[in-house]
Amino acid sequence: METKTISRRDLLKSTGVLVVGFSLFGAASKALAQGDALSVDGMDPTVLDSWLAISKDGTVTVFTGKVELGTGVVTALAQIVAEELDVPFNKVYMDSGDTDKAVDQGITAAARTVERGGVQLRQASAAARQELLKLASVRLDSPVDKLSVTDGVVSVIGSPARKIAYGDLLGGKRFNIKIVAAGIGWDMKVAPDVPSKNPKDYKIVGKSIARVDLPAKFTGEFVYSQDAGVPGMLHGRVVRPATSLSAPASIDESSIGNIPGVVKIVREGTFVGVVAETEWAAIQAARALNVTWTEPSLKMMSGPDAVFDYLKNTKSFKDNIVTSRGNLDAGFSKAQKKYEATYYWPFQLHGMIGPPCAVADVRADRATIWTGTQGPFRTRDAIAKLLNLPPKSVHLLYREGSGSYGRLESDDVAEDAALMSRAVGKPVRVQWMREDEHAWDPKGPAQLTTVRAGINAQGNVVAWDFMDRSLPWSESEDNPLLASSAVGMKPTTPGFLNGAGGGGQIYTFENQKVLAADIPWVQQGQWPLRTSNLRAPGDLARVFASESTIDEIASDTHTDPVQFRLRYLTSDKRISEILVATAKRAGWTDHVSPAPASSGTKASGRGVAVANRANTMTAAVAEVDVDKTTGEVTVTKITLGHDCGLIVNPDGLKNQIEGNILQAVSRGLLEEVQFDSTGQKNLDWNSYPVIRFEQIPEVEIVLINRPEMQPLGGGEPSIVPVTAAIANAIHDSTGVRLRRVPFTPQRVLGAIKA
């Protein structure tokens, strides 16, 4: 393979090409075969040329800091651009996640890419269209308001023969104009003064267009980060102790002396790695290297129960009041019945199918990194700090990994590769092993949630007191990752809030308080039990607690669960409308839960839950069968309602909802990190099971499209209510109320017997 170094200037000599991370060089090499010179000098968001370029054949190349995580988001972004420019969808090509070409639009996370990044690209495209119409007005000698655009061709209204294509107007040249851009990352406002197209005129947005990334994935031609490589690269593996609070006391280099191809043992601070000529040699060396580790300065906790005790008894460093209304003491004083329960949510893995992989080429004054990070600019800056280089000297190119769900916001493997490449002066590819990923994946944190509620004599909720005690993300903001910690960098913050939504604040109660408390974890987070954001962070646990309590009160007051919720869903009609639509599609019939007891060994039931994540409204109806002799739960069907405002790509959104549902079922029934004071116990798929094909339920989806609204998130919200709905369905079928996830057969059977 011939190595090509492609600059932004070189790429913009071309017509552009779909660059979503299919290969290291393939897309760019195609681009070099076409086009005339076009000089673009930077990524200043106030320069329109930083956002897009138009070639002579009318192809539009869009430069974006947002990346494809397997969610179809790059397809949706291309639809938005094509719509605003009035060009065919197949003429838009996305150059994604290259820090030398794109504006920093913030990380791809939190289901905010279409909501924030899509609007930024829409407005940049609107500004481009406005400028193109000005140019056409001069060329066609017609006022702008007398012009129309179809498929990238501008024509005079009433005189269709007078026309000119975008490529003839601008192809091979710069826009060379300034636009307004204020703020940073996903909060940046781009060209807010430029009018965009009326949604009533949309022809591309709102249509189900096939995802551009899937064909190569179906045929096996797609190049994931795990497949990427550069000529002459070496291979590396990291050697880690049972806990990162241990340091290498000694290393017996002779222990790998018989393994051919070993290049170097890399030691820097407490970081230990091996570099070899082949991947197999690196694997063998990492397994065989004899390292004597010091006793850890702090032992791991004895198990999950010890963590829950820690959450319960440790003073928070920050209390986030989400909702405060009325007077709780007064509410509880007039309550005829009071409720109090505690809910337990475990550490869970991201469960990436492919462990992370990166290639780094570090030289004295520059570094090039190929990796699957969700935040190209964040990872670039972290590596610049690690290597003591200015950020502009680090070039990061995105290559999609196999899975993410928040995992690759903390891009450990890129730092591992950078350290090893610097040590040997050559490109190094580092691939984590499955046991590395299961052990050192920064987990979705454990949560302990207590709900207190009170109802009056009429069965109305008069008091609601919700407190979630959660661990913040130790791997966040400016806090160092594993390699950075190993070379001596220290955390600068106590971590980032694990979300604050889902505590029942969607309901309007007379006296109500919802609080999310952050419990310190940074020092403890240096264990393998590091923490970070896991899909819809924090919300699954909080909605499980709040929706279970709502269901319990509905049952006690002999009220149908749907009707009881509607009584208090008064703050936003969208949530009540999605609940009604979902219940209708599911064929819900009003009843009091639990359902009448069955006489056989199988009990069936239905449960409901609602949620609001980042203003996307969701509702779920779960149908389950429970084997009363074994405790095994089978989720037979999930009906999921989803309202995310304007829908850009209905089929793409359904793909996301289906994936969210399956992951929610898996996390609710199966997933829990097990550990004791010696370390983590489940380091493979046998000991950390995830949902299998035969366990996948039937899925039915209800979409409410609101073209009058901005598009909102679709990547995370639909996972939120599903586990809660399953818990309520288990209660409906068996009469038992589960308060600890996952709902394993042992826990379900124990509850039935109790």
Side-chain angles (χ1 to χ4, degrees):
M1 178 188 287
E2 179 187 356
T3 302
K4 294 183 173 69
T5 302
I6 307 300
S7 68
R8 179 183 175 90
R9 183 186 300 270
D10 290 335
L11 184 128
L12 288 176
K13 291 177 183 177
S14 70
T15 61
V17 66
L18 177 61
V19 185
V20 191
F22 291 174
S23 67
L24 287 180
F25 306 113
S29 64
K30 293 179 187 176
L32 287 174
Q34 310 172 57
D36 295 330
L38 177 61
S39 174
V40 176
D41 297 323
M43 291 69 68
D44 179 350
T46 67
V47 175
L48 182 57
D49 299 287
S50 296
W51 295 95
L52 54 88
I54 296 179
S55 68
K56 279 194 170 183
D57 71 351
T59 298
V60 180
T61 301
V62 181
F63 306 101
T64 176
K66 296 298 186 181
V67 296
E68 180 61 68
L69 301 174
T71 62
V73 73
V74 166
T75 301
L77 294 177
Q79 285 182 252
I80 290 169
V81 171
E83 184 68 75
E84 205 59 42
L85 284 171
D86 280 309
V87 299
F89 173 78
N90 61 6
K91 298 288 279 186
V92 175
Y93 299 96
M94 306 296 291
D95 191 341
S96 176
D98 185 329
T99 58
D100 274 9
K101 297 175 185 174
V103 172
D104 183 0
Q105 296 174 267
I107 61 173
T108 303
R112 293 297 177 86
T113 298
V114 170
E115 177 191 349
R116 305 291 183 88
V119 171
Q120 291 167 345
L121 294 182
R122 183 194 71 196
Q123 291 305 113
S125 301
R129 186 180 193 277
Q130 186 179 73
E131 183 63 16
L132 288 162
L133 286 174
K134 289 179 183 178
L135 295 172
S137 175
V138 174
R139 295 281 292 273
L140 297 174
D141 191 24
S142 175
V144 168
D145 62 1
K146 299 297 183 182
L147 301 176
S148 66
V149 185
T150 302
D151 291 342
V153 177
V154 186
S155 61
V156 178
I157 297 172
S159 302
R162 296 168 61 193
K163 60 185 179 181
I164 187 167
Y166 282 166
D168 295 326
L169 280 171
L170 194 75
K173 297 189 292 291
R174 293 171 58 111
F175 283 97
N176 204 26
I177 66 168
K178 288 275 193 175
I179 60 175
V180 174
I184 61 173
W186 68 18
D187 292 323
M188 184 189 304
K189 305 297 182 186
V190 178
D193 54 328
V194 178
S196 56
K197 184 184 285 189
N198 190 322
K200 294 179 181 178
D201 299 324
Y202 283 171
K203 301 181 182 68
I204 300 172
V205 166
K207 296 290 177 62
S208 291
I209 290 179
R211 280 172 48 179
V212 296
D213 60 313
L214 290 183
K217 291 175 178 176
F218 291 154
T219 61
E221 297 171 282
F222 191 86
V223 179
Y224 290 96
S225 63
Q226 291 86 351
D227 304 316
V230 297
M233 72 181 181
L234 301 173
H235 297 266
R237 287 293 190 276
V238 184
V239 180
R240 292 193 168 96
T243 166
S244 56
L245 298 174
S246 297
S250 64
I251 300 175
D252 179 6
E253 297 194 14
S254 66
S255 61
I256 58 172
N258 64 334
I259 299 174
V262 174
V263 174
K264 186 170 185 175
I265 297 172
V266 179
R267 178 175 178 179
E268 186 171 345
T270 63
F271 180 90
V272 179
V274 292
V275 178
E277 294 173 356
T278 66
E279 184 169 19
W280 178 233
I283 292 170
Q284 288 179 296
R287 289 173 176 170
L289 185 65
N290 186 359
V291 181
T292 301
W293 299 96
T294 62
E295 283 295 315
S297 56
L298 187 66
K299 284 191 176 293
M300 291 260 291
M301 289 187 176
S302 60
D305 288 341
V307 171
F308 291 126
D309 288 342
Y310 175 85
L311 283 168
K312 179 180 179 181
N313 298 317
T314 304
K315 180 177 174 55
S316 61
F317 67 86
K318 184 177 181 182
D319 290 338
N320 304 277
I321 298 176
V322 182
T323 298
S324 182
R325 179 184 293 114
N327 185 310
L328 274 180
D329 290 338
F332 279 114
S333 69
K334 61 183 179 183
Q336 295 295 305
K337 183 171 183 178
K338 299 174 184 178
Y339 299 81
E340 181 170 350
T342 299
Y343 296 83
Y344 302 82
W345 194 276
F347 286 102
Q348 292 181 324
L349 301 180
H350 290 86
M352 287 178 57
I353 296 301
C357 181
V359 178
D361 186 1
V362 178
R363 306 301 167 99
D365 58 351
R366 63 181 175 85
T368 306
I369 313 290
W370 294 267
T371 186
T373 176
Q374 291 178 241
F377 288 89
R378 176 181 287 186
T379 295
R380 179 202 66 176
D381 293 349
I383 289 177
K385 186 176 180 181
L386 176 68
L387 300 176
N388 197 27
L389 291 172
K392 67 180 180 181
S393 296
V394 177
H395 182 196
L396 192 139
L397 299 100
Y398 178 75
R399 295 295 177 261
E400 185 179 338
S402 181
S404 190
Y405 315 112
R407 165 67 179 98
L408 289 176
E409 192 174 318
S410 304
D411 191 15
D412 296 285
V413 73
E415 293 194 1
D416 296 339
L419 277 185
M420 287 193 248
S421 176
R422 182 173 67 176
V424 298
K426 291 184 177 181
V428 176
R429 173 186 179 272
V430 177
Q431 166 77 66
W432 279 27
M433 305 294 282
R434 172 55 55 195
E435 58 266 26
D436 297 325
E437 177 60 14
H438 270 40
W440 291 98
D441 160 37
K443 281 74 177 165
Q447 291 172 252
L448 184 77
T449 306
T450 301
V451 188
R452 298 168 59 236
I455 59 174
N456 62 15
Q458 290 73 44
N460 297 317
V461 178
V462 292
W464 180 270
D465 185 14
F466 183 99
M467 175 179 280
D468 180 63
R469 298 178 69 81
S470 182
L471 304 173
W473 310 339
S474 61
E475 316 305 292
S476 66
E477 299 181 278
D478 294 326
N479 286 350
L481 301 180
L482 288 171
S484 295
S485 295
V487 300
M489 295 184 186
K490 302 296 183 184
T492 59
T493 76
F496 191 79
L497 171 67
N498 188 38
Q505 61 266 35
I506 57 174
Y507 299 104
T508 302
F509 301 128
E510 181 183 350
N511 304 290
Q512 185 175 17
K513 184 177 181 180
V514 176
L515 186 147
D518 285 337
I519 309 302
W521 193 247
V522 165
Q523 184 183 20
Q524 287 86 351
Q526 293 173 19
W527 303 336
L529 293 176
R530 305 187 299 153
T531 52
S532 75
N533 48 324
L534 173 57
R535 200 174 204 171
D539 280 2
L540 277 72
R542 284 184 282 268
V543 168
F544 165 51
S546 62
E547 288 296 287
S548 293
T549 305
I550 289 290
D551 223 60
E552 187 172 357
I553 299 172
S555 177
D556 271 5
T557 57
H558 304 287
T559 309
D560 172 73
V562 171
Q563 297 304 321
F564 187 81
R565 285 168 170 79
L566 290 172
R567 187 184 301 175
Y568 299 101
L569 292 173
T570 59
S571 60
D572 190 328
K573 69 174 185 177
R574 292 173 56 227
I575 187 65
S576 57
E577 288 178 356
I578 198 65
L579 173 58
V580 170
T582 305
K584 182 178 180 180
R585 179 69 63 85
W588 185 273
T589 54
D590 287 0
H591 70 284
V592 175
S593 185
S598 61
S599 57
T601 60
K602 184 180 80 172
S604 300
R606 312 178 92 195
V608 64
V610 295
N612 170 1
R613 176 164 177 80
N615 210 30
T616 290
M617 307 299 184
T618 56
V621 172
E623 301 177 29
V624 306
D625 291 336
V626 179
D627 187 323
K628 293 185 290 185
T629 62
T630 65
E632 183 175 357
V633 177
T634 300
V635 180
T636 57
K637 183 177 181 181
I638 299 288
T639 305
L640 196 293
H642 197 279
D643 176 351
C644 60
L646 169 68
I647 298 173
V648 175
N649 186 323
D651 184 63
L653 178 59
K654 288 179 180 178
N655 293 162
Q656 279 308 288
I657 293 171
E658 289 166 352
N660 271 291
I661 289 170
L662 302 194
Q663 193 175 27
V665 174
S666 184
R667 291 173 68 182
L669 297 187
L670 301 167
E671 298 185 38
E672 180 175 16
V673 173
Q674 298 290 347
F675 57 94
D676 61 22
S677 58
T678 64
Q680 189 178 322
K681 298 305 177 187
N682 31 14
L683 303 182
D684 53 36
W685 292 120
N686 287 329
S687 55
Y688 189 90
V690 295
I691 192 171
R692 300 173 68 90
F693 285 111
E694 63 268 20
Q695 296 169 298
I696 291 174
E698 180 186 351
V699 170
E700 191 158 1
I701 296 170
V702 182
L703 300 180
I704 292 182
N705 185 30
R706 299 187 186 273
E708 72 280 4
M709 291 181 61
Q710 295 279 13
L712 298 167
E716 292 185 318
S718 53
I719 198 174
V720 177
V722 175
T723 304
I726 293 170
N728 292 334
I730 293 171
H731 173 265
D732 190 50
S733 63
T734 63
V736 301
R737 182 68 62 189
L738 299 175
R739 307 195 194 274
R740 186 164 180 167
V741 166
F743 311 136
T744 61
Q746 295 84 354
R747 286 179 181 150
V748 174
L749 188 59
I752 291 173
K753 289 181 176 179

